[in-house]
Amino acid sequence: MILRYDGTFAGFLTSVSLARERGLEPEAIADREPEQQGLFATVETVATSRDRADELYRLIRHTLTPGAMQTFRYAFQSCEPGREILLFRYLQLGLATGAQFGAMLAHEAVIPVWKLARAVGREAHRYKGLVRFQHLEGDIWYAAMEPDHCILPLIAPHFAARFADQRWIIHDRRRGEAVAFDPRHQKWAATPLELTATLPCTAGEEFFRELWQRYFDRLAIAERRNPKLQRQNLPLKHRRHLPEFEQ
């Protein structure tokens, strides 16, 4: 049995709740048609139920420790194929063992989820320092990024607290998603976003980008230039939207 959901966190919880109710372990849980599946595997599309998802979420929060809960949430934001079935087994073990779950770090159902969560957490932490905003007409600050994982929900609270008096958008161009912050209501929201035209930057934006590039160049010590070490600390894939690396 393969359970297909809509890709949302609520949809995933609905799938897990359905599997637990039926007492089955699915072959896979996926948000798209599996590329490879067993000859006799059946695919069932699961309709997201907010009530069912909320009920399971309350049970998870009541049972898992805060650390295990954070591992679960971070790992879900990973884009590794097959993460859902790993999370399903992680939850099954956690809900079955309760308080003992926090000490089962070496269990085969815990290790892969912990690795996913660590990768997502590292990338989210890194992007808190790699987001570069551009000032657009209409007094909106826009930043583009292309992370490996779906980290927008993880970094949005950081920028909401830091730039609470600004209207800003952080755009994950790889996935066509964005988070937008409204200072009047002090809330951010996720929204689909695709650019269809050149961004309308303010007159001062180019000036300040040039100033930033000159500052970056002047700060560098030519005699100590080490491109190899620089690539290790800041891989090329992260420089795509950094003005200091624009040619």
Side-chain angles (χ1 to χ4, degrees), residues 40-51:
F40 301 105
T42 58
V43 179
E44 177 177 341
T45 300
V46 177
T48 297
S49 166
R50 178 63 65 177
D51 291 340

PDB file of all heavy atoms in Angstrom, residues 40-51:
ATOM      1  N   PHE A  40       2.563  -5.298  -7.312  1.00  0.00           N
ATOM      2  CA  PHE A  40       1.198  -5.403  -6.812  1.00  0.00           C
ATOM      3  C   PHE A  40       0.853  -4.306  -5.797  1.00  0.00           C
ATOM      4  O   PHE A  40      -0.161  -4.387  -5.121  1.00  0.00           O
ATOM      5  CB  PHE A  40       1.004  -6.782  -6.165  1.00  0.00           C
ATOM      6  CG  PHE A  40       1.263  -7.928  -7.119  1.00  0.00           C
ATOM      7  CD1 PHE A  40       2.426  -8.675  -7.038  1.00  0.00           C
ATOM      8  CD2 PHE A  40       0.352  -8.218  -8.123  1.00  0.00           C
ATOM      9  CE1 PHE A  40       2.670  -9.714  -7.920  1.00  0.00           C
ATOM     10  CE2 PHE A  40       0.590  -9.263  -9.018  1.00  0.00           C
ATOM     11  CZ  PHE A  40       1.755 -10.011  -8.921  1.00  0.00           C
ATOM     12  N   ALA A  41       1.721  -3.307  -5.674  1.00  0.00           N
ATOM     13  CA  ALA A  41       1.454  -2.224  -4.729  1.00  0.00           C
ATOM     14  C   ALA A  41       0.291  -1.365  -5.229  1.00  0.00           C
ATOM     15  O   ALA A  41       0.209  -1.040  -6.410  1.00  0.00           O
ATOM     16  CB  ALA A  41       2.702  -1.369  -4.554  1.00  0.00           C
ATOM     17  N   THR A  42      -0.595  -1.035  -4.344  1.00  0.00           N
ATOM     18  CA  THR A  42      -1.714  -0.166  -4.702  1.00  0.00           C
ATOM     19  C   THR A  42      -1.450   1.229  -4.154  1.00  0.00           C
ATOM     20  O   THR A  42      -0.810   1.400  -3.123  1.00  0.00           O
ATOM     21  CB  THR A  42      -3.026  -0.702  -4.121  1.00  0.00           C
ATOM     22  OG1 THR A  42      -2.883  -0.802  -2.690  1.00  0.00           O
ATOM     23  CG2 THR A  42      -3.349  -2.065  -4.687  1.00  0.00           C
ATOM     24  N   VAL A  43      -1.937   2.221  -4.855  1.00  0.00           N
ATOM     25  CA  VAL A  43      -1.752   3.613  -4.458  1.00  0.00           C
ATOM     26  C   VAL A  43      -3.105   4.174  -4.041  1.00  0.00           C
ATOM     27  O   VAL A  43      -4.077   4.100  -4.791  1.00  0.00           O
ATOM     28  CB  VAL A  43      -1.167   4.453  -5.613  1.00  0.00           C
ATOM     29  CG1 VAL A  43      -1.009   5.900  -5.175  1.00  0.00           C
ATOM     30  CG2 VAL A  43       0.168   3.878  -6.067  1.00  0.00           C
ATOM     31  N   GLU A  44      -3.149   4.705  -2.828  1.00  0.00           N
ATOM     32  CA  GLU A  44      -4.378   5.328  -2.337  1.00  0.00           C
ATOM     33  C   GLU A  44      -4.125   6.814  -2.099  1.00  0.00           C
ATOM     34  O   GLU A  44      -3.180   7.185  -1.397  1.00  0.00           O
ATOM     35  CB  GLU A  44      -4.826   4.670  -1.031  1.00  0.00           C
ATOM     36  CG  GLU A  44      -6.077   5.330  -0.440  1.00  0.00           C
ATOM     37  CD  GLU A  44      -6.562   4.634   0.819  1.00  0.00           C
ATOM     38  OE1 GLU A  44      -6.184   3.464   1.033  1.00  0.00           O
ATOM     39  OE2 GLU A  44      -7.308   5.268   1.599  1.00  0.00           O
ATOM     40  N   THR A  45      -4.931   7.654  -2.672  1.00  0.00           N
ATOM     41  CA  THR A  45      -4.810   9.095  -2.463  1.00  0.00           C
ATOM     42  C   THR A  45      -5.561   9.484  -1.194  1.00  0.00           C
ATOM     43  O   THR A  45      -6.744   9.176  -1.042  1.00  0.00           O
ATOM     44  CB  THR A  45      -5.391   9.863  -3.662  1.00  0.00           C
ATOM     45  OG1 THR A  45      -4.663   9.493  -4.850  1.00  0.00           O
ATOM     46  CG2 THR A  45      -5.263  11.355  -3.450  1.00  0.00           C
ATOM     47  N   VAL A  46      -4.851  10.142  -0.300  1.00  0.00           N
ATOM     48  CA  VAL A  46      -5.419  10.507   0.996  1.00  0.00           C
ATOM     49  C   VAL A  46      -5.863  11.968   0.959  1.00  0.00           C
ATOM     50  O   VAL A  46      -5.053  12.856   0.662  1.00  0.00           O
ATOM     51  CB  VAL A  46      -4.386  10.303   2.119  1.00  0.00           C
ATOM     52  CG1 VAL A  46      -4.952  10.749   3.460  1.00  0.00           C
ATOM     53  CG2 VAL A  46      -3.955   8.837   2.177  1.00  0.00           C
ATOM     54  N   ALA A  47      -7.105  12.204   1.268  1.00  0.00           N
ATOM     55  CA  ALA A  47      -7.614  13.579   1.359  1.00  0.00           C
ATOM     56  C   ALA A  47      -7.240  14.147   2.724  1.00  0.00           C
ATOM     57  O   ALA A  47      -7.473  13.512   3.759  1.00  0.00           O
ATOM     58  CB  ALA A  47      -9.127  13.596   1.170  1.00  0.00           C
ATOM     59  N   THR A  48      -6.654  15.328   2.716  1.00  0.00           N
ATOM     60  CA  THR A  48      -6.214  15.943   3.975  1.00  0.00           C
ATOM     61  C   THR A  48      -7.410  16.267   4.863  1.00  0.00           C
ATOM     62  O   THR A  48      -8.386  16.865   4.421  1.00  0.00           O
ATOM     63  CB  THR A  48      -5.425  17.236   3.686  1.00  0.00           C
ATOM     64  OG1 THR A  48      -4.262  16.889   2.947  1.00  0.00           O
ATOM     65  CG2 THR A  48      -5.022  17.921   4.976  1.00  0.00           C
ATOM     66  N   SER A  49      -7.306  15.842   6.117  1.00  0.00           N
ATOM     67  CA  SER A  49      -8.338  16.143   7.117  1.00  0.00           C
ATOM     68  C   SER A  49      -7.693  16.948   8.225  1.00  0.00           C
ATOM     69  O   SER A  49      -6.838  16.439   8.953  1.00  0.00           O
ATOM     70  CB  SER A  49      -8.935  14.848   7.687  1.00  0.00           C
ATOM     71  OG  SER A  49      -9.692  15.128   8.862  1.00  0.00           O
ATOM     72  N   ARG A  50      -8.074  18.205   8.350  1.00  0.00           N
ATOM     73  CA  ARG A  50      -7.497  19.053   9.385  1.00  0.00           C
ATOM     74  C   ARG A  50      -7.793  18.514  10.773  1.00  0.00           C
ATOM     75  O   ARG A  50      -6.923  18.524  11.658  1.00  0.00           O
ATOM     76  CB  ARG A  50      -8.044  20.475   9.227  1.00  0.00           C
ATOM     77  CG  ARG A  50      -7.551  21.451  10.273  1.00  0.00           C
ATOM     78  CD  ARG A  50      -6.051  21.662  10.226  1.00  0.00           C
ATOM     79  NE  ARG A  50      -5.641  22.291   8.971  1.00  0.00           N
ATOM     80  CZ  ARG A  50      -4.380  22.631   8.738  1.00  0.00           C
ATOM     81  NH1 ARG A  50      -3.421  22.345   9.623  1.00  0.00           N
ATOM     82  NH2 ARG A  50      -4.061  23.206   7.587  1.00  0.00           N
ATOM     83  N   ASP A  51      -8.995  18.022  10.997  1.00  0.00           N
ATOM     84  CA  ASP A  51      -9.352  17.494  12.321  1.00  0.00           C
ATOM     85  C   ASP A  51      -8.503  16.268  12.663  1.00  0.00           C
ATOM     86  O   ASP A  51      -7.997  16.141  13.789  1.00  0.00           O
ATOM     87  CB  ASP A  51     -10.840  17.120  12.348  1.00  0.00           C
ATOM     88  CG  ASP A  51     -11.735  18.345  12.275  1.00  0.00           C
ATOM     89  OD1 ASP A  51     -11.244  19.442  12.581  1.00  0.00           O
ATOM     90  OD2 ASP A  51     -12.909  18.190  11.898  1.00  0.00           O
TER      91      ASP A  51
END
